[in-house]
Amino acid sequence: MVFLQHALMDSSAGWLLLGPKRSLALQLADAGFDVWLGNSRGNRYSRNHTHLDPDVHSEFWDYSWDDLAQYDLPASIRYSLAVSQQSSLVYIGYSQGTMIGLAALASQPQLAVSVSLAVLIAPVAFTTAMTSPAFVLSSRLGFDRFALSQGWGEWGSFQQKNSDAIVPVCRRYPSFCLGYLTAFCGSNPRGNVADGMVPLVVRHLPAGTSVKVMSHWAQSLRRGSKRFLHRFDYGSECSNSSSAGLNSAAGGVMRCNMEVYGQVEPPVYDPAAITTPLALFTGGQDTISSLADVELLKGVLQPGVLQLHQHQPDYGHLDFELGVDAPDLVYPQLLQLAVKFGMLTRASTASPS
């Protein structure tokens, strides 16, 4: 059994775009795996709620990736295991999917025992060497702080009319549209995304998230931690009304770290606490998941946790999901690992106690 969790501003659709026999999700299904595709809260496929309307209630958007790691991902994994009647699964995260996976595995031992292997594609734990112009500039300018101060809740929502307008443009000028996308996350000098793939990609992006998620990413860049992943920082000032906008959630409710966590600084997730076997897949042209930051992650992991680190020097951030040669260069070794750890799990479950 395999559970796949997509990247920031992406959706489950991304795992399928390369099509039959080529996309990772469908290759896993062809190999006999029960494949589950997660959708992060707030994207175009995950806007349901028991009583909040995301188009009306700003409270819906009061979440960061911390909430995805603390609540959403564990609940999704538990549900998929229960429905499939399995005791464990292989987790595959991509970009933000790796971040919330690491945080969940580091903080929830009861969840970790149900994950036989975590595959981290374009992993993001630390951001000290991130060079993505959009992320670096917006964090330095504090645009996320401004957005929170204005009470903005949703970020990059999917709009069908915008998609309908841009698809014909990208069909005619695929290089222009691909250049726009790779400007955010790094490009492969070999031009590894087929022209025909580009209009299909923009038909699904952006899938949407919350301003608070984006702010949490920006906080990571500004903090520059080389050891821990930090939970959302609400600030240390609890009584200064002038800071209410910066410390507020999407609904405008003032908070501070002491109120939320009972301490001045936000708590941390410690990757050194992870005991789940990990596999890393990285790219040399990736401006979001830099090799230097990946090495920091490797340096704090316990001995024996890392099973594999496959590095593709020409790969940018998008190649792992959309690259023409990803099915040949990346997926075979990933599938071998999934089969190996899936078989180990079945053998362990079948063996007498």
Side-chain angles (χ1 to χ4, degrees):
M1 178 177 173
V2 180
F3 189 98
L4 294 91
Q5 187 63 41
H6 60 76
L8 177 68
M9 301 295 288
D10 200 358
S11 73
S12 57
W15 298 110
L16 304 168
L17 295 180
L18 283 177
K21 307 296 182 183
R22 294 184 58 77
S23 73
L24 179 58
L26 295 177
Q27 283 197 24
L28 287 163
D30 289 341
F33 284 96
D34 185 4
V35 180
W36 289 71
L37 308 179
N39 277 292
S40 292
R41 191 191 315 190
N43 81 6
R44 60 181 298 195
Y45 302 117
S46 187
R47 296 170 63 88
N48 201 5
H49 196 276
T50 56
H51 63 276
L52 295 177
D53 183 343
D55 295 322
V56 176
H57 301 106
S58 59
E59 300 95 321
F60 177 90
W61 301 103
D62 184 14
Y63 68 90
S64 71
W65 65 251
D66 187 20
D67 297 281
L68 306 182
Q70 284 280 314
Y71 307 111
D72 298 14
L73 181 61
S76 297
I77 288 177
R78 286 194 297 268
Y79 178 80
S80 62
L81 287 170
V83 172
S84 299
Q85 299 183 340
Q86 299 292 317
S87 60
S88 65
L89 52 75
V90 172
Y91 177 79
I92 301 177
Y94 176 34
S95 190
Q96 182 174 269
T98 71
M99 182 184 289
I100 64 176
L102 287 167
L105 292 173
S107 61
Q108 302 188 35
Q110 70 279 16
L111 177 72
V113 297
S114 65
V115 178
S116 60
L117 170 72
V119 177
L120 309 181
I121 301 173
V124 182
F126 309 117
T127 57
T128 64
M130 183 186 290
T131 57
S132 166
F135 277 100
V136 172
L137 185 61
S138 63
S139 65
R140 288 180 179 175
L141 294 177
F143 185 74
D144 60 298
R145 292 168 169 161
F146 170 78
L148 288 176
S149 73
Q150 299 302 302
W152 296 358
E154 186 173 8
W155 182 284
S157 65
F158 177 81
Q159 300 291 333
Q160 189 64 55
K161 61 180 180 181
N162 293 341
S163 176
D164 293 341
I166 196 65
V167 165
V169 176
C170 292
R171 189 174 290 120
R172 185 170 183 179
Y173 305 105
S175 297
F176 170 79
C177 293
L178 181 60
Y180 172 79
L181 293 173
T182 56
F184 290 92
C185 54
S187 62
N188 189 320
R190 294 185 286 106
N192 198 31
V193 178
D195 287 351
M197 178 63 60
V198 177
L200 185 60
V201 173
V202 299
R203 189 180 295 278
H204 294 275
L205 296 177
T209 189
S210 73
V211 170
K212 198 172 175 184
V213 165
M214 301 302 295
S215 182
H216 203 168
W217 277 77
Q219 288 179 4
S220 177
L221 267 78
R222 289 192 290 265
R223 186 179 292 273
S225 174
K226 297 182 179 181
R227 180 66 178 79
F228 303 107
L229 286 77
H230 288 74
R231 298 184 66 178
F232 189 85
D233 191 348
Y234 291 93
S236 58
E237 296 295 327
C238 297
S239 59
N240 185 356
S241 61
S242 65
S243 67
L246 302 186
N247 297 343
S248 64
V253 179
M254 184 178 176
R255 301 183 191 175
C256 64
N257 289 330
M258 186 60 70
E259 178 185 337
V260 176
Y261 305 120
Q263 59 189 60
V264 174
E265 291 293 323
V268 299
Y269 298 103
D270 185 0
I274 295 174
T275 57
T276 304
L278 304 180
L280 309 178
F281 290 80
T282 61
Q285 306 302 314
D286 193 333
T287 60
I288 293 178
S289 170
S290 73
L291 187 57
D293 285 326
V294 172
E295 291 299 326
L296 287 176
L297 172 61
K298 291 167 62 177
V300 301
L301 294 175
Q302 293 186 34
V305 166
L306 184 62
Q307 305 297 306
L308 170 74
H309 179 191
Q310 187 201 86
H311 183 69
Q312 297 293 338
D314 289 343
Y315 266 37
H317 203 69
L318 300 180
D319 290 82
F320 295 100
E321 188 174 74
L322 306 174
V324 171
D325 57 12
D328 302 314
L329 290 183
V330 179
Y331 298 167
Q333 197 161 19
L334 194 159
L335 263 72
Q336 288 176 13
L337 275 174
V339 169
K340 173 185 175 181
F341 280 86
M343 291 178 63
L344 288 175
T345 299
R346 288 194 293 272
S348 175
T349 303
S351 63
S353 57

